[in-house]
Amino acid sequence: MRKRIAVIGGGIAGLAAAVRLRDVHPGAEVVVFESGPALGGKLSTGELGGRTVERGAESFLNSAPDGGESAAVVLARRVGLGDALVHPAARPAALAFGGRLAPIPGGTLVGVPGDLSTLDGVALPASGADRDTGRPLLAPGADVAVGALVRERFGDEVVDRLVDPMLGGVYAGRADRLSLRVTMPQLAHTAETEHTLTAAVRAAQARGRRVPGRPVFAAVEGGMSRLAGAAAAASGARISLGAPARELTRTGKGLWKVVSGPVPAPRTEEFDAVILALPARPASRLLSEVAPEPAAAVAALDYASVALAAMALPAGTGLPDLSGFLVPPGEGTLVKAATFFTTKWPHLAREDGPVIVRVSLGRSGEEERLQRDDAALLETARRELSDLLGVGLPVPAAAWVQRWGGGLPQYAPGHADRIAAARAGLPEGLALAGAAFDGVGIPVCVASGERAADDVSTFLKGIT
């Protein structure tokens, strides 16, 4: 009998799961439930000044840690978008502090330096920093906050001026509250054997096999939403938009019953296996009936809210020759990062076209500061951007604000162990995928969805 699999969540993790299910279990019927009006989650493409400007994730890593292509690139090729991959210009990024822009020091691992001599003018390491104590930095399998480890070894300035803005640019969180093992898994691994942090950083960098000449990042020409659409088409799945899954229960025959759609007109279907590719809270609600202990572990994950403000400035507006900059939290600005979009992405630049800047606003714990209307947020973004650049920026010809309320998971130390325990407590035929569980970044989410698909496929083959 043909097996039926439900994928609940139409972000990139869920769509990657659906594509993998088509490849490894081609006879199965796959149904993707998405509560919103469109697929892709944070892969959301917008338009500004006649240019494609992402309203969510703008790019993904081009390479995997082993030197091969990242899971996102492999997926893009699998769904027919290999020729649509584009790469950013070779422009440096900067740090903004003290009224000036300083180049981000080279040779760091998400801001953690492997050579303290490169930090001149950016951060002053603590006196006598990083002495060899004769034992590894981290016990096997242990986890700590990134900030705790780096402060102990290098001092406060390295965290506050370098590591915090780098992590904040990705997670909108603070280094003192983010898990080393989730946010920097390579460094956590090498810290189990190395006696100094500089040695651990260098060892982690040596493990990552960088292919000479290969760009670090990639994107999809025409917008990241194309990746979501192409994945949905390649999966052959039935797509149910505007159909939130409201209940998940087990039938007496060992099947999974999914109730979806609006309360006045619910739809009930039965499946042989289910993948939950959802944020923590909706995943926890669905788990509560079938796996109470995993549900509680998943519910404990916190999230940060952010907003993106995009501005189309008049053609010829002068900006530094950078891809953008990051802002340390100590500067006190709502702006935490800025991307000079038409400088960073050459395929979007036109001499007579607008100069487009995209600004990221808000960090973990700053949700109240985002509670302003769009006009106020845009004016704050333009004013702070002008102050950080030291120039008065003109009023944009067009602009928009995209809010991601509760959009970025905050991985406290011990997150990986908690999620491993939650997964171990799931009934067979039920899997978890996505950023809530395995980390942010499109390649990580793609790989997470693919692993979940492999898990349920193995289960299904065992019951045929």
Side-chain angles (χ1 to χ4, degrees), residues 42-44 53-60 86 88 217-220 223-224 308 323 338-341 344-345 358 442:
K42 293 179 184 63
L43 272 63
S44 176
V53 181
E54 301 298 342
R55 286 180 170 267
E58 70 168 272
S59 63
F60 45 79
V86 292
F217 296 103
V220 177
M224 300 295 280
L308 298 173
S323 62
T339 301
F340 304 153
F341 229 75
K344 182 175 180 178
W345 297 102
R358 196 180 78 158
I442 296 171

Side-chain angles (χ1 to χ4, degrees), residues 409-423:
Q410 301 296 292
Y411 309 106
H415 172 84
D417 288 342
R418 288 189 291 273
I419 295 304
R423 281 180 162 137

Side-chain angles (χ1 to χ4, degrees), residues 30-431:
V30 179
V31 181
V32 176
F33 295 91
E34 169 53 44
S35 62
L39 295 170
K42 293 179 184 63
L43 272 63
S44 176
T45 301
E47 181 275 340
L48 187 65
R51 301 289 179 267
T52 298
V53 181
E54 301 298 342
R55 286 180 170 267
E58 70 168 272
S59 63
F60 45 79
L61 287 171
N62 205 26
S63 297
D66 64 2
E69 292 183 331
S70 74
V73 172
V74 173
L75 177 65
R77 297 193 190 285
R78 163 66 181 82
V79 301
L81 293 178
D83 292 339
L85 296 177
V86 292
H87 307 288
R91 295 285 192 280
L95 291 165
F97 56 82
R100 65 189 180 94
L101 295 177
I104 295 176
T108 72
L109 185 66
V110 198
V112 185
D115 181 354
L116 296 176
S117 69
T118 66
L119 303 185
D120 184 41
V122 173
L124 180 66
S127 177
D130 207 27
R131 291 175 178 165
D132 187 341
T133 60
R135 63 179 185 276
L137 298 173
L138 209 60
D143 195 13
V144 296
V146 176
L149 177 63
V150 181
R151 286 187 196 281
E152 177 188 355
R153 306 302 302 187
F154 293 158
D156 293 340
E157 275 202 9
V158 175
V159 175
D160 297 340
R161 290 190 162 204
L162 191 54
V163 180
D164 236 354
M166 294 287 278
L167 280 175
V170 178
Y171 299 96
R174 300 300 298 267
D176 291 319
R177 296 193 287 270
L178 289 171
S179 158
L180 178 72
R181 199 159 291 278
V182 176
T183 62
M184 300 187 201
Q186 303 96 327
L187 183 58
H189 180 79
T190 57
E192 294 177 354
T193 57
E194 299 295 338
H195 295 187
T196 66
L197 188 51
T198 50
V201 169
R202 291 171 184 170
Q205 291 169 330
R207 286 170 59 88
R209 299 175 184 174
R210 178 82 182 275
V211 177
R214 179 185 289 175
V216 175
F217 296 103
V220 177
E221 188 171 13
M224 300 295 280
S225 291
R226 289 187 65 196
L227 180 59
S235 75
R238 189 188 95 208
I239 307 296
S240 293
L241 295 176
R246 295 190 288 105
E247 295 179 27
L248 177 66
T249 55
R250 202 78 182 267
T251 71
K253 297 180 180 180
L255 297 176
W256 298 95
K257 184 169 71 174
V258 175
V259 179
S260 65
V263 173
R267 177 172 182 169
T268 300
E269 299 181 73
E270 292 183 350
F271 297 90
D272 298 280
V274 174
I275 294 173
L276 297 183
L278 293 166
R281 290 182 181 87
S284 175
R285 286 195 295 272
L286 291 177
L287 287 171
S288 61
E289 287 291 324
V290 296
E293 290 187 9
V298 170
L301 181 65
D302 286 332
Y303 281 78
S305 296
V306 295
L308 298 173
M311 296 175 280
L313 304 174
T317 299
L319 294 174
D321 191 21
L322 300 166
S323 62
F325 62 83
L326 301 168
V327 186
E331 296 300 299
T333 60
L334 189 58
V335 170
K336 71 179 180 69
T339 301
F340 304 153
F341 229 75
T342 41
T343 300
K344 182 175 180 178
W345 297 102
H347 67 287
L348 298 178
R350 303 287 188 277
E351 283 190 12
D352 59 347
V355 174
I356 295 176
V357 179
R358 196 180 78 158
V359 178
S360 181
L361 304 164
R363 303 173 179 83
S364 177
E366 295 184 343
E367 286 75 16
E368 288 189 6
R369 298 182 70 187
L370 295 174
Q371 301 307 309
R372 316 174 192 178
D373 63 27
D374 287 0
L377 278 184
L378 283 167
E379 180 53 31
T380 296
R382 186 176 74 92
R383 186 187 72 251
E384 291 187 352
L385 191 59
S386 295
D387 292 342
L388 291 163
L389 293 174
V391 296
L393 293 178
V395 175
W400 49 247
V401 170
Q402 173 70 52
R403 299 171 188 268
W404 294 106
L408 288 172
Q410 301 296 292
Y411 309 106
H415 172 84
D417 288 342
R418 288 189 291 273
I419 295 304
R423 281 180 162 137
L426 294 175
E428 288 188 311
L430 180 61

